[in-house]
Amino acid sequence: MAAAELVRGQNHPLPGTRITVRLSSAHPAATAVLLTDESGRLANGEGRLVHAGSPELPGDRLAADGEVAVDLGALAADVHRLQLALLLPTGRTFRDLPAPVAAVAGPDGGIASFTLTGLADESALVAVELYRRAGGWKVRAVGQGYAGGATALLADHGCPDPSALAAALTPEVSAELPTTRRSADGGQRADGGSDGAGVVAPTGAPGSPINTVHPRRGPSGPAATTPAPEVPPSAARGPVDTTHPGRPSPPPPAAGPSGPVFAPPVPPSPSSPTTAPSAVPPPIAGDAAGATMDERLYNQVWGIFEDAARSAAAYRSAVEYADHRQDQEIEALLADPRMRFGPDAELGRLRARTRRDELEGRARAVLDRDAEQLREELQVVERAMPAAMAAWGSAAWTAWQPVAERPFALRLGDLHLPENPDIRVPMLTRLPLHRGLWVDTGSGPESAGPGSAPLGSADRKAFGTGVATAVAARLLACHPPGGLLLHAVAPGAGGPGGSGDAWAPFARAGLLAGPPATSRAEVAALLESLVERVDLVQMARRAGAPDTLPPHVDPADRLLLVHDFPYGFDDRTVARLRYLADEGPAVGVHLLLVADRAESREYGPLLDPFWRGLTRLAPVEQAYLADPWVEHLWTFSPAVPRPGDPALPALLEAIARHRR
């Protein structure tokens, strides 16, 4: 079976653990293997960097000719990735060299290959990586180049002294560079070959679509597909709110000799069709690292999230390249006055469009293959989710029983991309909450969905109230009976979507710790009591007796539900709320806010840090969250029961019954 030809960002399963990778370059180059942890950092400093001076690999070797042979099954448990790099000597770059090639093989023959086209001023690059996934191993086409050379590459992966080690690694060899000559079709090529279509692939010259990416942060735009180093699930910073009002924009991509440079991917050539992947074992729930089943499921969801992001990145970049190639072909036709009109011109345009559609079709086939695997894994994971992490329609809620201890994570909603809207990845947050939650009723789409009526201010507040009610109910269900007390600030008047609707279901079930605060005096008294609790717990912890609290202080955690902020607040109570948002989560006082930020604009920039310190939730489906790998814009759907679903009232009654 022919080896699969990968595009940048694409992955492919490995059928076994004994793997050979050959890195081929037209110019003599050093080969290095970085054994890294989940975050892409050297797992043990320099001791996990294999090069010509220390060619020992678990189970096999690193040969002088750029061939790396390894038994993945013999690797230490803390090694999650093998990143294979090429290093050119000082003063050399890949700009005028034929494209390097990475070929991956097993005992039974070729598995995958990757041609690293579109390189420019890079003198070091990570070609491919072998990484753990769902109990097995995969290979990913990376193609991450560094204009800063070996020093920048090693620094990016956590090497303690990158400059000194780079000097020892970089080969002091030279060879005549191949001359660039014009092929018969008029395109400039460095390898003297033909690309099979009479069109030159982008080579990094001025004007070509080179994507610049921050080290360890990901591409700067949605078209970039080269993956940033993976964020470990247990420490991932989570999706980034790209439309957070007042939040500074991320820094522009680094340029120049110190930053890594990424080139657009080249889809497989028509002469080498991508083969079907090897048989993939059926997915297993909890097939990820973790001390408990909940933690393993949480980490597995993060793995699905990353795979979906990278798969979509590979597809988008392949489509971008197909469009670029079509434009080049049509521009070449228009450059010849004899080819601008007539049947030959129309035939040339038709051929260009046909080739473009073929490339997109192959990329879509790969995307659909990946999507089917992710869909199957999500189905298995969803069935195993505990109630706190499950969707509202799950059987886990039908059979809900009080928990003896707090679960690992809480589900806030689902995330999906337009390429596969049916793949809904759960958006989970760790418990206890490290940040407050903010249901933003002041922004979002014009309507709740296709064919829906326009959303007004009252509609947004009504949807926001529903989201806050569902989240608060989940949080109550996540704690042992009496382990979380709910307080409400609801100074606004009633009506559909008003503050009364926010706390009414909890009041009916008897789950409020006291009457809702509806006046300025009541708001001030409630916040003062919570601030006092925070201070007392902090003092007890500093004294080394965290369980020693005055008799009037209930040791249970607190959830403060604030509706219609800043109504009912003055400068003093706003300061108290900010204090609770900053200091409360560490001592079990959590904040759930339903607010339109514009309504507090009279406070000016005073509240900017407050808003940025909260996790923002949209009340209806909205595309505003970016993943930490390639920064696609994901659509967030809040976790709320379907209209008329009795699950939420039944849950509140069950919680109240067990408390009694």
Side-chain angles (χ1 to χ4, degrees), residues 416-508:
H416 68 273
L417 290 170
E419 284 80 6
N420 286 298
D422 62 321
I423 296 181
R424 303 276 175 139
V425 182
M427 179 178 169
L428 306 175
T429 186
R430 291 280 298 273
L431 290 177
L433 295 174
H434 298 292
R435 305 172 69 189
L437 304 175
W438 166 35
V439 183
D440 182 9
T441 59
S443 64
E446 295 298 325
S447 65
S452 302
L455 290 176
S457 175
D459 297 319
R460 294 183 193 279
K461 287 186 176 182
F463 281 116
T465 296
V467 173
T469 302
V471 171
R474 277 181 178 262
L475 283 169
L476 288 172
C478 286
H479 290 74
L484 179 69
L485 302 181
L486 177 61
H487 301 273
V489 173
S499 56
D501 286 349
W503 51 260
F506 304 100
R508 286 194 296 267

Side-chain angles (χ1 to χ4, degrees), residues 275-366:
T275 60
S278 305
V280 179
I284 300 173
D287 193 4
T292 65
M293 184 61 174
D294 283 9
E295 185 178 1
R296 292 196 295 272
L297 289 169
Y298 174 86
N299 291 343
Q300 189 171 10
V301 168
W302 264 99
I304 295 171
F305 185 29
E306 181 193 7
D307 282 355
R310 296 195 191 279
S311 179
Y315 170 75
R316 292 182 183 184
S317 195
V319 171
E320 181 187 16
Y321 171 74
D323 292 337
H324 174 77
R325 179 171 175 159
Q326 176 184 250
D327 292 343
Q328 280 190 315
E329 294 190 21
I330 294 177
E331 287 175 5
L333 289 173
L334 296 177
D336 186 350
R338 296 169 300 175
M339 296 295 294
R340 293 179 182 174
F341 305 102
D344 289 342
E346 186 59 33
L347 181 60
R349 294 187 183 93
L350 179 60
R351 287 174 176 169
R353 287 192 291 269
T354 301
R355 279 190 286 266
R356 184 256 175 224
D357 292 343
E358 289 175 353
L359 292 176
E360 182 183 4
R362 281 201 294 273
R364 184 74 213 192
V366 174

Side-chain angles (χ1 to χ4, degrees), residues 400-419:
W400 178 85
Q401 291 293 324
V403 295
E405 58 183 19
R406 188 171 47 214
F408 189 81
L410 177 78
R411 188 176 192 144
L412 297 176
D414 298 327
L415 299 168
H416 68 273
L417 290 170
E419 284 80 6

Side-chain angles (χ1 to χ4, degrees), residues 568-610:
F569 285 77
D570 53 27
D571 290 345
R572 180 178 177 82
T573 48
V574 166
R576 290 289 184 266
L577 190 66
R578 290 182 56 190
Y579 178 80
L580 291 175
D582 293 338
E583 303 294 335
V587 293
V589 176
H590 308 290
L591 178 63
L592 175 55
L593 194 73
V594 183
D596 178 354
R597 184 179 179 183
E599 294 177 352
S600 61
R601 57 181 175 269
E602 66 270 15
Y603 292 96
L606 176 68
L607 287 181
D608 286 350
F610 171 69

